[in-house]
């Protein structure tokens, strides 16, 4: 029998190209595999390669072999020659090469989709609702983000962490920033402004009016946002801005006193005299004109005025100054807050042309200045943006505290009621409850740094295992967080609770290992890598370091956080019911989350770091895990049959349950998730019309130990007639349907037609009217024992 | 000011608002977005599922 042979001269590569056959390449590949098994003889590899060539020439007589076909024959040859271990290594080597190649292809495919698909078509472009995926900068951010993730997965992450993330056992959040920075920070605005600060070019002096205070607050948020990938919050906003109000008041007082002196007392250069007297009183008696007007300043001023004007005029002159100064400062503060809200909604300074994620915590400053800030911030938010739109940022967190803002006799109770009224219209503020036992334990009256603050997303940083003498919120934040796919563990456990906890244990250990690895990378960074966050002393203790110092130690004030998603689906998989519908499931849920919290505490103790547990604020993640699980395990009713896993420990959004029952079920989880938590209720009906019901729910949250809560209700707006409220099919004000026109005459009749030119009309809110609003008077008897009289129909949301 | 232009309908009336959609502000993972168009698919599905909670004790 004639064995036909042909010289192999070319091969076909994976991309289809035909290239010259090089025996050396096969020898090299075999040699690599041999080395792994301890054989360092290149000659052996050459010989085997020769055998491969022989087989190729026998089998491929009429066309060139492909790379795949060659590799098959290499494996076969190795096995036949008795090199079975080497064959195995070769197979692994192939698999690894394939995986890397596929990753490159996958990355290129992602880039292709980013480039050519619109955001509507491409889910990745909508991973983060804050980014406009259709813009150049939004897309560029995505290119960078996807490329970075790929790189880290291949070359930086420990293989077992990369594998766990890739396969959806865990999710490493913000992996695109793995080697670059930390998550977020609670900015101490009082400390930052004291003496002025720098943003990289030029020094900003300590501001001198409420307008500058508010502008600088925006700049601080923006600057810090450039150094971190997460949100920026100010935990002491009212206290910080109060100084600005005081400065503005003094200016306004002296300006008006000056006018009064000229007009009423015929004194030339009234302002000069007013200032001279004020400086003298400050120098000699340490007093200034203040809003409260109860410090003796006016008495001291009156004494000095006697020397200059008719004493009979003093009372009128001073009364005029106080009256006008009060009104003008109130107006100045309103405008400063209005500008702040506008700024925080429009400055595109975060990567990808995003607006910084800003959060403001306030509510406990009871000084007249602080109260003026809170009141006007709320009113400006209520008024909305230029056309009355609901501002998206900042996220407002109103701090509720017995003795300060919660009870009718409390000094800031009126502001709490105003907060409810504004939230009923604008969805913010959210409410933080300082009396929840796990928050109260840190509270020291009079020290705002000990008042719990929440990031808008729900992150909470207050305890401090690393430095128990500084259990404060200012200058601290989260370093990174990683979430566990709880439902998957439950699915795999097949109803066996012991197996579930064993597997959970292993996953937990993996996550701790990964968080610590990431921390090690972060710890190697230096102050100069964070020009504002560290360079300007925003992060706690960074002002004690020089530009080239490493930041590992001071970072330990931050938190490493373990997260989870889908407790409801987990319980459904384990017991057949979720915790909204079954007490047993709820008990198991508390066991599971309690167990995770205990392990976090142990790990924190072991490593001397702040390791906390959070109910993950999942956005992209909510779909990612369930997608992978459905592919792997199929459709499991109540578990993988939806396109998302329920957020953290929440009762599923689709489950009909009363607001109060939902809160009762979720409240105990707040105590366990020390890294952050939130509970929402979803309401129908126009809450603007029923602020009392709104307040009742908030009060209930406080009473059952919720840490951070919020009320969701539809906030719709018709840009044509300006109506804000519930809009179903047609606008309740002008009657038009979505996308359809309405007659100009109709708008005229409604009184919302404003014709600025012949080509456009529209509604603009009356800012002056809204600025003059005062909080509603209190009816104490009603507030004390309020029970809700409104029942809202339970219905599915329809869009 | 909305930049809607005034047009004339079939009946000869001046009208405005053609193509202008209602804004529907919704909360996603803690922050607000003016339109569900920006939500990813998973969150869109979740918003569709949301039921309202009654206020009965």
């Amino acid at each position: 029998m004639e064995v036909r042979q042909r010289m192999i001269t070319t091969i076909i590569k994976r991309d289809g190209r035909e290239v010259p056959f090089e025996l050396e390449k096969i020898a090299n590949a075999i040699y690599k595999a041999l080395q792994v098994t301890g054989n360092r003889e290149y000659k052996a590899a050459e010989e085997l390669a020769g055998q491969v060539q022989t087989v190729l020439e026998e089998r491929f007589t009429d066309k060139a072999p492909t790379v795949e076909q060659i590799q098959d024959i290499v494996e076969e040859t190795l096995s036949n020659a008795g090199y079975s271990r080497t064959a195995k290594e070769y197979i692994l080597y192939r698999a690894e090469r394939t995986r890397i190649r596929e990753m490159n292809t996958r990355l290129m495919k992602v880039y292709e989709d980013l480039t050519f698909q619109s955001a509507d078509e491409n889910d990745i472009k909508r991973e983060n609702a804050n980014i406009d995926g259709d813009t150049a900068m939004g897309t560029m951010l995505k290119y960078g983000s996807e490329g970075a993730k790929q790189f880290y997965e291949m070359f930086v992450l420990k293989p077992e962490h990369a594998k766990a993330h890739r396969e959806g056992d865990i999710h490493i959040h913000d992996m695109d920033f793995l080697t670059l920075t930390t998550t977020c920070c609670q900015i101490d605005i009082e400390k930052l402004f004291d003496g002025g600060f720098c943003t990289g070019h030029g020094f900003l002096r300590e501001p001198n009016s409420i307008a500058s205070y508010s502008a600088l607050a925006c700049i601080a948020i923006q600057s810090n946002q450039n150094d971190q990938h997460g949100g920026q919050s100010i935990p002491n906003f009212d206290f910080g801005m109060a100084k600005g109000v005081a400065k503005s008041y003094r200016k306004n007082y002296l300006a008006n006193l000056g006018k009064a002196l000229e007009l009423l007392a015929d004194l030339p250069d009234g302002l000069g005299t007013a200032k001279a007297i004020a400086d003298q009183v400050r120098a000699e008696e340490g007093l200034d004109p203040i809003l409260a007007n109860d410090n003796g300043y006016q008495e001291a001023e009156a004494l000095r005025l006697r020397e200059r004007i008719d004493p009979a005029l003093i009372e009128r002159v001073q009364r005029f100054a106080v009256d006008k100064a009060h009104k003008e400062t109130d107006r100045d503060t309103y405008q400063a807050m209005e500008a702040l809200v506008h700024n925080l909604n429009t400055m595109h300074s975060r990567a990808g042309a995003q607006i910084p994620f800003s959060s403001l915590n306030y509510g406990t400053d009871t000084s007249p200045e602080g109260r003026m800030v809170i009141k006007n911030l709320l009113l400006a938010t209520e008024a909305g943006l230029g056309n009355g739109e609901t501002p998206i940022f900042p996220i407002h967190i109103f701090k509720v505290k017995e003795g300060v803002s919660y009870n009718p006799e409390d000094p800031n109770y009126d502001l709490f009621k105003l907060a409810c009224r504004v939230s009923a219209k604008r969805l913010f503020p959210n409410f933080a409850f300082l009396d929840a036992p796990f928050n109260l334990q840190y509270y020291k009256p009079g020290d705002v740094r000990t008042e719990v603050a929440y990031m808008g997303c729900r992150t909470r940083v207050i305890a401090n295992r690393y430095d128990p003498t500084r259990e404060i919120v200012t200058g601290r934040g989260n370093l990174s967080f990683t979430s566990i796919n709880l439902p998957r563990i439950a699915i795999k456990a097949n109803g066996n609770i012991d197996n579930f906890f064993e597997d959970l244990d292993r996953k937990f250990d993996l996550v701790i290992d990964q968080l610590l690895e990431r921390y090690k990378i972060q710890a190697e960074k230096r102050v100069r890598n964070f020009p504002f966050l560290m360079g300007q002393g925003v992060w706690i203790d960074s002002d004690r370091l020089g530009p080239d110092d490493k930041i590992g130690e001071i970072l330990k004030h931050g938190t490493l956080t373990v997260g989870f998603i889908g407790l409801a689906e987990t319980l459904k998989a384990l017991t057949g019911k979720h915790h909204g519908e079954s007490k047993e499931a709820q008990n198991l849920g508390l066991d599971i989350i309690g167990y995770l919290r205990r392990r976090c505490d142990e790990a924190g103790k072991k490593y001397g770091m702040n390791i906390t547990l959070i109910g993950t604020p999942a956005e992209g993640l909510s779909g990612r895990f369930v997608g992978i699980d459905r592919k792997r395990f199929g459709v499991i009713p109540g578990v993988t049959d939806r396109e998302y896993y329920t957020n953290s420990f929440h009762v599923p959004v689709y489950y009909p349950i009363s607001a109060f029952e939902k809160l009762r079920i979720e409240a105990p989880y707040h105590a366990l998730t020390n890294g952050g938590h939130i509970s929402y209720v979803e309401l129908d009906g126009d809450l603007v019309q029923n602020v009392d019901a709104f307040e009742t729910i908030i009060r209930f949250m406080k009473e059952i130990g919720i840490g951070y809560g919020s009320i969701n209700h539809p906030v719709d707006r018709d840009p044509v007639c300006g109506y804000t409220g519930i809009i179903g099919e047609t606008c309740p004000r002008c009657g038009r349907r979505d996308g359809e026109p309405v007659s100009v005459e109709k708008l005229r009749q409604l009184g919302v037609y404003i014709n600025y030119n012949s080509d456009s009309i529209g509604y603009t809110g009356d800012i002056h009217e809204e600025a003059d609003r005062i909080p509603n008077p209190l009816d104490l008897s009603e507030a004390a024992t309020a029970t809700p009289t409104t029942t809202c129909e339970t219905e599915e949301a329809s869009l | 000011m909305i930049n809607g232009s005034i047009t004339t309908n079939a009946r000869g009336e001046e009208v405005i608002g053609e193509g202008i959609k209602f804004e529907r502000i919704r909360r996603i993972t803690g922050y607000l977005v003016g339109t569900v168009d920006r939500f990813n698919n998973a969150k869109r599905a979740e918003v569709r599922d949301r039921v309202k909670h009654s206020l009965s004790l």
Side-chain angles (χ1 to χ4, degrees):
Chain A
M1 184 176 66
E2 196 185 297
V3 175
R4 289 174 63 199
Q5 274 194 341
R6 188 179 74 92
M7 282 283 287
I8 302 290
T9 52
T10 59
I11 67 167
I12 313 287
K13 285 181 76 81
R14 268 172 237 275
D15 56 16
R17 285 181 295 147
E18 194 162 340
V19 299
F21 172 75
E22 290 175 61
L23 186 63
E24 202 179 288
K25 288 206 167 136
I26 298 181
N28 285 340
I30 295 175
Y31 183 53
K32 282 205 181 83
L34 279 173
Q35 282 184 310
V36 177
T37 61
N39 187 330
R40 295 186 179 285
E41 293 277 333
Y42 191 76
K43 277 199 91 55
E46 276 183 322
E47 207 190 277
L48 287 162
Q51 290 178 25
V52 169
Q53 185 173 14
T54 307
V55 173
L56 283 173
E57 288 169 352
E58 283 168 9
R59 292 197 198 163
F60 292 90
T61 51
D62 35 282
K63 61 181 173 151
T66 66
V67 170
E68 289 291 338
Q69 290 167 324
I70 295 174
Q71 292 191 330
D72 285 341
I73 290 172
V74 169
E75 280 175 33
E76 193 190 302
T77 307
L78 285 172
S79 282
N80 291 342
Y83 285 89
S84 56
R85 269 186 68 206
T86 309
K88 280 209 180 74
E89 286 306 321
Y90 187 78
I91 291 165
L92 284 173
Y93 155 79
R94 273 182 84 172
E96 188 59 22
R97 292 294 306 257
T98 303
R99 198 177 65 77
I100 290 176
R101 197 171 35 248
E102 268 168 19
M103 284 176 82
N104 286 336
T105 313
R106 192 154 44 92
L107 179 62
M108 288 306 121
K109 183 75 175 69
V110 166
Y111 278 10
E112 185 187 4
D113 289 342
L114 286 173
T115 311
F116 297 113
Q117 287 182 342
S118 71
D120 195 50
E121 300 166 290
N122 187 338
D123 200 33
I124 294 182
K125 279 188 162 182
R126 283 178 285 114
E127 190 178 350
N128 184 328
N130 192 39
I131 301 176
D132 186 344
D134 280 328
T135 62
M137 292 306 156
T139 307
M140 181 54 94
L141 173 67
K142 270 292 164 196
Y143 284 153
S145 170
E146 294 300 315
K149 283 184 206 168
Q150 201 83 291
F151 174 74
Y152 294 141
E153 223 186 300
M154 285 165 66
F155 297 109
V156 180
L157 281 173
K158 256 193 195 168
E160 57 264 34
H161 299 159
K163 182 167 186 285
H165 176 91
R166 191 170 57 243
E167 294 179 353
D169 283 306
I170 66 173
H171 182 87
I172 302 169
H173 294 269
D174 300 306
M175 193 166 78
D176 42 357
F177 283 92
L178 188 77
T179 65
L180 301 179
T181 178
T182 59
T183 310
C184 57
C185 186
Q186 292 164 155
I187 304 171
D188 183 349
I189 207 90
E190 284 187 276
K191 181 172 170 243
L192 182 67
F193 285 177
D194 196 20
F197 64 96
C198 201
T199 65
H201 180 78
F203 182 73
L204 294 163
R205 283 194 304 257
E206 183 171 323
N208 274 314
S209 66
I210 183 59
S212 332
Y213 267 71
S214 126
L216 256 52
C218 294
I219 289 176
I221 287 174
Q222 183 177 282
S223 300
N224 219 44
Q225 182 69 96
N226 281 328
D227 283 351
Q228 294 186 298
H229 55 78
Q232 300 303 318
S233 87
I234 297 177
N236 53 353
F237 185 74
D238 40 1
F239 289 88
M241 294 294 109
K243 288 196 176 69
V245 173
K247 288 180 186 177
S248 283
Y249 180 81
R250 187 177 190 274
K251 262 198 216 156
N252 291 336
Y253 177 87
L254 296 177
N256 282 293
L257 187 73
K259 284 186 197 143
L261 288 175
E262 287 192 21
L263 265 174
L264 297 177
D266 274 323
L267 200 65
D269 189 21
L271 181 59
T273 306
K275 278 188 177 160
I277 294 180
D279 289 343
Q280 199 183 52
V281 173
R282 182 189 264 177
E284 291 173 11
E285 286 165 71
L287 297 173
D288 277 302
I290 58 171
L291 261 176
N293 199 22
D294 60 357
N295 61 346
Y297 173 81
Q298 285 205 314
E299 286 80 344
E301 185 184 65
L303 275 173
R304 287 154 179 86
L305 279 172
R306 281 179 183 280
E307 301 157 16
R308 290 159 160 97
I309 66 172
D310 176 3
L313 291 170
I314 291 177
E315 206 240 314
R316 261 178 85 191
V317 153
Q318 284 191 322
R319 196 162 19 96
F320 175 83
V322 165
D323 200 49
K324 285 285 175 263
H326 202 109
K327 286 201 173 72
E328 284 173 15
T329 307
D330 201 21
R331 175 61 55 90
D332 289 346
T333 306
Y334 179 83
Q335 286 174 346
M337 294 301 106
E338 185 185 48
L340 176 101
V341 169
H342 276 74
N343 257 336
L344 291 177
N345 274 278
T346 53
M347 50 184 193
H348 288 192
S349 62
R350 188 178 139 116
Q354 291 180 78
I355 296 166
F357 262 72
S358 53
S359 310
L360 306 176
N361 286 261
Y362 57 87
T364 51
D365 189 347
T366 53
S367 71
E369 291 82 7
R371 283 173 48 81
M372 190 170 273
V373 170
I374 298 168
K375 181 192 80 168
N376 283 298
L377 176 62
L378 286 168
L379 290 178
T381 301
E382 187 176 43
L385 298 179
N387 280 332
E389 306 99 309
T390 293
I392 304 291
F393 288 110
I395 298 173
H396 299 243
I397 298 104
F398 187 92
K399 295 191 238 181
V400 177
K401 178 77 189 74
E402 265 179 61
V404 179
S405 57
Y406 183 65
N407 292 313
E409 64 270 17
D410 294 339
N412 280 359
Y413 179 67
D414 56 335
L415 296 174
F416 170 56
K417 282 193 93 74
L418 179 60
C420 289
R421 185 180 97 199
V422 175
S423 191
K425 182 174 180 186
R426 297 295 188 191
L427 293 172
F428 291 134
N430 297 337
F431 293 85
F433 301 96
L434 272 51
D435 293 303
F438 46 88
N439 289 330
L440 192 60
Q441 68 183 99
Y442 303 103
Y443 175 73
K444 298 193 176 87
D447 187 353
V448 67
R449 302 169 313 154
T450 64
E451 293 175 7
V452 75
Y454 287 87
M455 305 294 303
C457 64
R458 82 187 64 174
T459 295
R460 174 181 176 276
V461 179
I462 183 159
N464 199 338
R465 185 183 291 281
Y466 172 65
D467 181 358
T469 66
R470 279 191 289 175
E471 295 187 310
I472 56 177
V473 297
T474 40
R476 302 172 62 208
N478 173 256
L479 302 178
S480 78
F481 61 112
T482 298
S483 294
I484 300 176
N485 184 347
L486 275 188
R488 171 178 303 182
I489 303 176
I491 295 169
K492 283 165 74 176
N494 246 319
N496 186 323
I497 307 287
D498 289 330
N499 286 357
F500 173 83
F501 275 99
E502 258 180 53
D503 197 4
L504 180 62
D505 220 26
R506 280 195 295 271
K507 292 293 178 295
F508 180 86
D509 288 335
L510 185 74
V511 168
I512 294 296
D513 193 43
Q514 182 269 317
L515 287 170
L516 290 170
E517 278 290 303
R518 186 170 185 169
Y519 161 75
K520 285 202 199 92
I521 298 173
Q522 294 167 325
E524 287 297 303
K525 297 252 169 250
R526 300 163 199 270
V527 167
R528 59 177 157 74
N529 295 123
F530 305 90
F532 194 79
L533 178 69
M534 306 273 174
Q536 290 299 304
V538 175
W539 186 267
I540 189 171
D541 284 357
S542 57
D543 45 7
R544 301 184 191 176
L545 298 179
D548 280 309
D549 290 335
K550 289 194 189 168
I551 58 174
E553 279 308 297
I554 63 171
L555 278 189
K556 287 184 181 172
H557 289 284
T559 55
L560 294 176
T561 303
V562 179
F564 62 91
I565 181 178
L567 180 67
E569 285 79 14
T570 303
L571 295 169
K572 192 89 178 186
L574 285 173
T575 70
K577 294 199 173 177
H578 59 69
H579 55 312
E581 51 188 356
S582 147
K583 273 217 165 48
E584 287 75 33
Q586 166 75 337
N587 287 337
L588 179 59
L590 290 169
D591 275 346
I592 295 171
I593 304 306
Y595 175 75
L596 282 173
R597 168 61 185 276
R598 269 198 312 284
R599 295 244 35 215
C600 283
D601 289 346
E602 281 162 18
K605 206 166 165 189
K606 178 174 176 190
Y607 296 105
M609 296 197 55
N610 290 301
I611 299 182
T612 59
L613 181 69
I614 190 173
T616 303
E619 191 175 348
L621 184 59
S622 58
R624 179 171 178 250
F625 277 171
V626 73
I628 303 174
D629 289 342
R630 200 178 24 248
K631 271 209 195 88
R632 208 167 132 174
F633 304 105
V635 174
I636 306 170
V639 184
T640 60
D641 57 349
R642 288 189 159 75
E643 288 172 61
Y644 59 91
Y645 278 150
T646 297
N647 193 282
S648 72
F649 49 73
H650 293 168
V651 173
V653 296
Y654 57 79
Y655 185 67
I657 189 175
S658 82
F660 300 105
E661 193 52 32
K662 181 177 195 276
L663 292 170
R664 253 190 229 111
I665 292 173
E666 292 178 9
Y669 295 100
H670 284 230
L672 297 172
T673 47
N674 55 345
H677 41 250
I678 192 171
S679 279
Y680 300 108
V681 294
E682 202 74 31
L683 294 185
D684 196 1
D686 199 341
L687 275 180
V688 176
Q689 315 298 342
N690 194 348
V691 183
D692 286 337
F694 188 98
E695 184 182 336
T696 304
I697 300 167
I698 301 297
R699 300 188 79 82
F700 183 80
M701 286 181 180
K702 184 264 181 196
E703 294 305 328
I704 57 164
I706 293 273
Y708 182 42
S710 180
I711 298 183
N712 276 341
H713 48 283
V715 172
D716 305 324
R717 179 176 165 270
D718 182 0
V720 174
C721 71
Y723 176 77
T724 299
I726 308 279
I727 302 179
E729 299 280 312
T730 60
C731 173
R733 175 181 281 168
C734 70
R736 77 180 193 100
R737 303 179 83 83
D738 201 9
E740 290 180 10
V742 63
S743 76
V744 170
E745 186 51 40
K746 180 73 185 281
L747 293 181
R748 271 202 196 95
Q749 285 168 10
L750 289 168
V752 296
Y753 170 74
I754 299 174
N755 187 10
Y756 282 81
N757 60 53
S758 60
D759 287 331
S760 65
I761 64 169
Y763 169 80
T764 56
D766 184 348
I767 294 165
H768 299 292
E769 178 265 317
E770 281 159 340
D772 284 338
R773 281 190 213 169
I774 53 171
N776 298 321
L778 305 176
D779 183 345
L780 299 185
S781 61
E782 209 176 66
T785 54
T787 49
T789 52
T790 315
T791 48
C792 302
E793 281 177 294
T794 308
E795 59 177 273
E796 266 191 317
S798 58
L799 286 170
Chain B
M1 208 63 37
I2 47 150
N3 295 315
S5 36
I6 300 180
T7 53
T8 317
N9 68 6
R11 284 196 298 254
E13 291 173 313
E14 287 190 320
V15 293
I16 188 164
E18 177 80 50
I20 294 180
K21 298 171 74 83
F22 298 137
E23 278 174 16
R24 302 201 184 272
I25 308 275
R26 295 293 178 266
R27 201 190 307 266
I28 176 168
T29 327
Y31 63 97
L32 303 185
V33 174
T35 161
V36 187
D37 292 349
R38 290 260 205 109
F39 282 24
N40 66 52
N41 293 340
K43 290 312 261 190
R44 279 188 191 176
E46 192 226 84
V47 170
R48 279 196 298 271
D49 278 356
R50 287 180 187 169
V51 299
K52 300 294 184 278
H53 300 119
S54 78
L55 289 184
S56 54
L57 289 167

